[in-house]
């Protein structure tokens, strides 16, 4: 499931950021893609590793969507 957010969503919702960074005004459609994942996804996708710096296929990886950094 994907959600699109803007502004200072995580602070407004009281959701702490454990690692990495939140979205900024510099994150635009013509800049490198940015992803924020929750702990459950990080543990499932990269067990025993940090999620920062990993890539993740958006949607169905067989459809040719870009990999997200």
């Amino acid at each position: 499931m994907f959600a699109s957010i803007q502004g200072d969503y995580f602070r407004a919702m009281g959701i702490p950021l454990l690692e990495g960074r939140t979205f900024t005004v510099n994150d635009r459609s013509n800049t490198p893609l940015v992803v924020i994942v929750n702990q459950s996804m990080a543990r499932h996708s990269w067990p025993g590793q940090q999620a920062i710096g990993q890539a993740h296929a958006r949607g169905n990886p067989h459809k040719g969507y870009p990999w997200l950094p």
Side-chain angles (χ1 to χ4, degrees):
M1 177 173 145
F2 294 94
S4 178
I5 63 167
Q6 59 184 345
D8 206 355
Y9 173 82
F10 294 99
R11 185 166 51 158
M13 296 300 292
I15 301 170
L17 184 68
L18 302 178
E19 295 184 74
R21 68 173 180 85
T22 60
F23 299 118
T24 71
V25 297
N26 298 320
D27 295 318
R28 304 220 180 256
S29 61
N30 61 343
T31 61
L33 299 173
V34 178
V35 175
I36 296 176
V37 301
N38 64 22
Q39 286 179 304
S40 178
M41 179 179 171
R43 281 193 299 266
H44 174 77
S45 298
W46 308 285
Q49 302 176 53
Q50 286 192 327
I52 296 174
Q54 302 290 352
H56 182 72
R58 179 177 73 183
N60 184 337
H62 303 290
K63 295 285 185 182
Y65 295 120
W67 281 83
L68 304 175

